[in-house]
Amino acid sequence: MTRHFLTLLDFDRDTASALLDRAIQMKRERFRSKLLEGRIIALIFEKASTRTRVSFETAIRHLGGETLFMTPRETQLGRNEPLKDTARVMSRYVDGLVVRTFGQEVLEELVAWGSIPVVNALSDKLHPCQLMADLMTVKERFGTLENIPVAWIGDGNNMANSWLEAATILPIELRMACPEGFEPDPLVVDAARDGGANFMLTRDPMQAAAGAKAINTDVWVSMGQEGDDSRMQSVFEPFQVNDAMMAAAASDAIFMHCLPAHRGEEVTESVFESPASAVWDEAENRLHAQKALLEYIFSV
């Protein structure tokens, strides 16, 4: 059986919870193994990256494997080779694919035509690996995810979509505040509602933040979507995470951001550098969550 990870909905509650616990254990033990010894994992990145690339390459090496990093400039992906051809060829060369791309359909086609595990390292629709690290961070800080109020403030982007999926399979309470016209994918919202997720959507960021244990945001203009920064500034300015918003949250609330951050835009310097900021733990946890994920995928 080949295991893939394209979306958090690939996991049920028990599997996701077990992986988060395993990631926390791996972090505590500074875990290393030879699980991937003799195996090569190809990282195919159509978007630039710091944390995703370094954390995955390090995780693979911590498990004894080797990596091959590829961009469109170095592959036929940049020359419009059919994805089904790439999938079948790569399946004969390497043992797995970690893909950072634009369309979710790219990942789905690689799965459909290939015979090796495929991991979604980011698409325009979803960012499930970041969510595993974020959920791990929340669980580390509060000891549980049960009924923990998490606020998402800002753009209804791939991170927001993945938070909705997290709320579908795990017992968090999700509050989302997004400007008009920047809501999460309506199909993802409908699926979360049908799946019994505990969430609310509002245009009032202070309503979402009130009493929350985690205040989470992202850049106002996502990678590849730049172009009208002045309009974004006016639309998103009321959604800036600042001292007043953190004061409305729970007294032990943490601030989270997947990075890179634009200080002075979606978050103030005072919040980003405050004792409440969990961004460095969150960034580190990419490594541990992905080690747990890779162990799960390659242990079959």
Side-chain angles (χ1 to χ4, degrees):
M1 179 182 67
T2 302
R3 287 175 171 168
H4 306 284
F5 184 54
L6 305 192
T7 161
L8 286 169
L9 299 182
D10 288 334
F11 297 150
D12 58 21
R13 179 175 296 193
D14 289 344
T15 302
S17 296
L19 283 173
L20 293 173
D21 289 341
R22 179 61 172 148
I24 291 170
Q25 179 187 22
M26 285 177 157
K27 182 178 181 178
R28 184 169 58 246
E29 296 176 356
R30 301 177 63 84
F31 183 81
R32 305 288 191 277
S33 82
K34 295 183 178 180
L35 173 68
L36 297 182
E37 189 172 31
R39 293 181 175 180
I40 298 173
I41 311 300
L43 280 67
I44 301 177
F45 280 37
E46 294 188 279
K47 291 188 175 186
S49 167
T50 299
R51 279 152 294 278
T52 300
R53 177 180 178 179
V54 174
S55 61
F56 261 112
E57 291 209 27
T58 303
I60 291 163
R61 286 178 169 83
H62 281 185
L63 298 180
E66 298 181 41
T67 63
L68 179 65
F69 183 76
M70 307 167 71
T71 71
R73 292 190 303 274
E74 298 143 359
T75 71
Q76 294 298 329
L77 285 176
R79 298 178 177 86
N80 298 317
E81 180 177 50
L83 277 170
K84 62 183 181 181
D85 294 0
T86 298
R88 288 177 287 191
V89 169
M90 294 299 289
S91 293
R92 298 187 180 212
Y93 290 155
V94 299
D95 300 284
L97 299 176
V98 174
V99 183
R100 185 174 170 94
T101 187
F102 293 91
Q104 187 76 10
E105 67 278 3
V106 171
L107 299 153
E108 294 166 356
E109 191 164 354
L110 290 171
V111 167
W113 289 94
S115 58
I116 55 177
V118 177
V119 175
N120 179 2
L122 174 142
S123 71
D124 285 348
K125 182 178 180 181
L126 298 168
H127 200 354
C129 289
Q130 180 67 55
L131 255 290
M132 290 297 290
D134 290 0
L135 291 162
M136 177 184 171
T137 304
V138 173
K139 191 164 188 178
E140 274 187 316
R141 288 298 183 103
F142 301 110
T144 183
L145 296 176
E146 192 81 31
N147 298 321
I148 293 291
V150 175
W152 176 264
I153 310 294
D155 188 17
N157 60 10
N158 54 2
M159 285 291 297
N161 291 336
S162 285
W163 271 110
L164 281 164
E165 292 195 342
T168 305
I169 61 168
L170 292 165
I172 61 172
E173 176 196 341
L174 180 63
R175 297 100 164 267
M176 311 194 81
C178 305
E180 184 175 2
F182 294 89
E183 299 87 353
D185 185 322
L187 294 178
V188 177
V189 173
D190 289 345
R193 187 173 290 113
D194 293 343
N198 180 7
F199 74 98
M200 61 168 283
L201 293 173
T202 179
R203 302 214 190 284
D204 182 353
M206 294 302 283
Q207 181 186 12
K213 289 282 194 178
I215 305 292
N216 207 324
T217 193
D218 197 359
V219 294
W220 292 343
V221 183
S222 296
M223 185 184 301
Q225 299 173 355
E226 299 86 355
D228 194 359
D229 292 1
S230 60
R231 176 172 176 262
M232 292 294 192
Q233 184 82 22
S234 62
V235 168
F236 281 97
E237 194 167 12
F239 292 80
Q240 182 186 68
V241 179
N242 52 31
D243 292 331
M245 187 176 295
M246 293 301 296
S251 59
D252 57 349
I254 58 174
F255 168 73
M256 301 175 67
H257 194 302
C258 61
L259 303 180
H262 295 169
R263 308 179 197 203
E265 291 186 6
E266 73 272 9
V267 59
T268 61
E269 177 82 6
S270 59
V271 169
F272 190 88
E273 295 292 352
S274 73
S277 179
V279 296
W280 309 122
D281 289 339
E282 186 183 359
E284 179 188 347
N285 286 344
R286 288 293 302 273
L287 170 64
H288 309 295
Q290 287 159 190
K291 273 199 286 194
L293 175 65
L294 291 166
E295 183 184 65
Y296 169 80
I297 288 172
F298 286 97
S299 290
V300 294

